[in-house]
Amino acid sequence: MKKYVLVLFSFLILNIFAITGKEIIEKVDKNRSISNEYYEGTFTIIKNNRTLVKKFFGYAKDSEETFYMEFTNPEDNGVKYLKISDELWIYFPDADDYLKISGSMLKQGMMGSDMSYSDMVTIENLEEKYSVDLLGEEVLNKVPVYKIELIAKKGTKNITYYKEILYVDKDKFIILNAEYFAKSGRLLKTIDVQDIKKVKDHYFPTKMLIKDMRRKNSKTIIEFPIIKFDIKLPKNVFSLGYLKR
Amino acid sequence: MKLRLFYFFIIATISIYGSDININGLFRDDLILNKGSDFKYSNIMENRFLLQKKSAAWKYYFDLRLFFYSGSAATLYGDAKYRLLRGFIKYYTNIGTFVIGKTYINFGALSMFNPFDMDKNVNFNDPAYDKEGKIALQYDFSFSKLAGGKIYISPQNKPQNSLFGSSLYFNISKFDLGFIINRYGKDNIISGISFKGDLLLTVFGNIGLHLNDVFQRKFLEANLGIEYYFGSTLFQFIYYFNESGKDNISQYTFYYNNDHYFQAKHYGLINISYIYDYFLNFYGYSFLNFIDGSTLDLLGAKITVNNGFDVSLEIFGLTGKGLEEFSSSLYGSYGILCRFQVKY
């Protein structure tokens, strides 16, 4: 009898303290909650045995809800992006003019990479648009993770992916691996975080491998060798006027 | 000409040597074979020099292009020529940005047949080719993140011939909107609106009313476009209307040039692009003259061989007959272009 009481008690304790999928996502969002940042990075686009490297730097604020990005490699020198909420503009230095990226163009790969413009503009609060379910716990590359399933809530508009499976580091609450699915169940994209850096109490992915599963033998590695939080932003950096500077 | 170019290089080399000016550029070589009554071969080599220096308070920008011609093109343009597309200094202040020099003064939504373009010529072998700037003083200002405007003045030989204009831009309900007024020549003013945003498709357009110096109506000019991506394939259609355009082919003035200006009343442009991946994409476009029914059609493929090195192959044809605008009897019935391009 004593044994059964002990088991029941343990079960109750475990359930009281068990974390829910929603709480995990809240913690993921909290880790991503950064007031402003400066970053320098590279896109390495790999197709079969061919490789292209693109360099950029930029500023972001409100957990990357708003960002400015400027390319510095010779082929794309001066190409700039401005994202404000879910709107995106690209500036072409040769034409000295900017263009709104909208509608169906958002689905295209940014600068030819496996990351689409939609991936850039939909860094949103996950709980707002998805119903969250904790599928279980696993070990991914020797790291204990929570496996979370996100399914788009009925009637939600402007979502890039219908379903997402996220593998969240149990300790750091950062997404280590993500799989993105269409409504049909087709796997569209995967993101594998390969390196993490802790900056001012936030864990930040500094190396990611992105694969667009619709493209054969194609992958993109995004690296952020320099990342700084809570910096002084240049005046008016998040404005259309600044794109033309 | 050759001597002047030589002097330019000597002066430029001495000036740049040892300075910390950022140098970029582009080398492009177009090999073109045209089939008219017989085959004609042209080679157009373009060297683009971009010099830039930036500081927190100012920016210097210089874009010079040197062209070298051989074959059939040399008989039209000579051996060489140069074009200074841009050469300006930008100075940033708390109240806005001042630009002085040769700068691109652009109005309206960036698109083909934009009535607010000061330079409306189109290079059919590269419709997105950069437009030449104007020597002017420009002032850019912002009201907010997504609203602002600009004012410019470009003095000419006489004060009354000066060009000047202004525009305001806003973002309302996710639509980019612009209001423009521009005196682009003596007795030539254009005023109107531009827009770009999403309905079911992406829609964009520019509507301009041409006026004289006492604001009397002259004619209406407008373009209206839609675009949509089906997966990796872009479909774009642009309609162009020019109220003062010619309705009869006998009114056209023909000329053979790299650049082309549209003279008829109604045109269309169909543009279809397919992005296979970063390294390979296909494109095709068709300019349609709705007055005479002639078309200029082009199919191309661009291969990125390596970082900054692209090779393109284009096949173009003209369907018009006789004196129609896109006439095979004037330009040749078809041609092939092979382009090698390096950006550095």
Side-chain angles (χ1 to χ4, degrees), chain A residues 42-78:
Chain A
T42 56
F43 274 125
T44 306
I45 302 163
I46 302 161
K47 171 90 192 219
N48 296 325
N49 54 355
R50 287 187 293 178
T51 300
L52 292 177
V53 180
K54 295 176 183 293
K55 292 181 180 176
F56 57 87
F57 72 92
Y59 302 91
K61 69 169 188 175
D62 303 334
S63 310
E64 297 169 358
E65 183 76 10
T66 300
F67 70 70
Y68 167 90
M69 183 187 254
E70 182 173 339
F71 282 80
T72 55
N73 56 299
E75 306 82 39
D76 308 292
N77 193 15

